[in-house]
Amino acid sequence: MKNVKKITGVLMIIFLLVGGLVAAQDRAINANQLPKTAKNFLAAHFKGIPVTSAIEDREIYGVDEYKVYLTNGMKMEFDSNGNWKEVDGKHQKIPYGFIPVSIKNYITKNFPNTYIIKIDKKRWSYKAELSNGLELEFDRNGNFKRIDD
């Protein structure tokens, strides 16, 4: 009887895990189904560059994030509210209009012959990848912290 309870418990855990994996899935959406904040971001900073595809990453509890791919190869990630989390230029210079001024100024002053090809916004920091391969870390206020190696 003890073994039956153990087996039943293990099977219940496996069932819950598999059920969670099945419920969490990506689904293609139309660009106009993105949150308004994400649509405004794209219109402001990537005007005239069509969206190739948009993906809604769904979890059990709702939408986790959105991924957007542009015809020029660039990729963006947005949180569930449409706020940008990552902009990846895929080795191309990304627009600077949404990047904190202190980060732009630091890079322009200290790395004048480079440009930002990717930026990640975390809860407490930013990480900017430059065209020369360096990755710079900044605090959430845009103050330089260190070169990430």
Side-chain angles (χ1 to χ4, degrees):
M1 193 68 170
K2 217 176 204 182
N3 284 340
V4 171
K5 284 185 179 181
K6 277 185 183 179
I7 292 171
T8 303
V10 169
L11 289 174
M12 286 295 287
I13 291 171
I14 291 171
F15 176 75
L16 290 171
L17 288 173
V18 169
L21 293 174
V22 170
Q25 57 185 321
D26 292 351
R27 105 182 153 100
I29 60 171
N30 193 301
N32 64 13
Q33 293 175 285
L34 291 166
K36 186 176 183 178
T37 307
K39 289 190 285 192
N40 290 343
F41 178 87
L42 291 167
H45 304 292
F46 298 90
K47 187 175 183 159
I49 306 171
V51 171
T52 303
S53 63
I55 308 293
E56 182 182 68
D57 184 5
R58 297 187 66 78
E59 298 297 328
I60 296 169
Y61 49 84
V63 175
D64 185 44
E65 68 181 14
Y66 296 91
K67 293 178 184 155
V68 175
Y69 300 86
L70 303 181
T71 56
N72 65 359
M74 292 188 182
K75 175 188 147 205
M76 279 113 239
E77 290 185 15
F78 299 94
D79 67 16
S80 59
N81 296 316
N83 301 305
W84 75 273
K85 292 172 41 175
E86 177 186 293
V87 176
D88 187 347
K90 299 294 184 182
H91 305 288
Q92 303 171 69
K93 181 179 182 179
I94 61 173
Y96 282 18
F98 61 94
I99 297 172
V101 174
S102 53
I103 293 175
K104 291 187 286 193
N105 291 345
Y106 182 87
I107 290 171
T108 301
K109 180 181 177 195
N110 295 287
F111 301 93
N113 298 319
T114 65
Y115 49 88
I116 300 171
I117 60 171
K118 181 178 180 182
I119 189 161
D120 290 299
K121 180 172 60 171
K122 306 284 186 211
R123 186 174 189 172
W124 305 108
S125 64
Y126 293 88
K127 186 185 282 189
E129 185 177 336
L130 304 181
S131 55
N132 65 0
L134 287 178
E135 289 186 5
L136 309 178
E137 285 192 26
F138 298 85
D139 67 18
R140 69 176 170 183
N141 297 316
N143 300 309
F144 177 75
K145 286 177 26 181
R146 66 188 177 102
I147 294 176
D148 189 24
D149 46 356

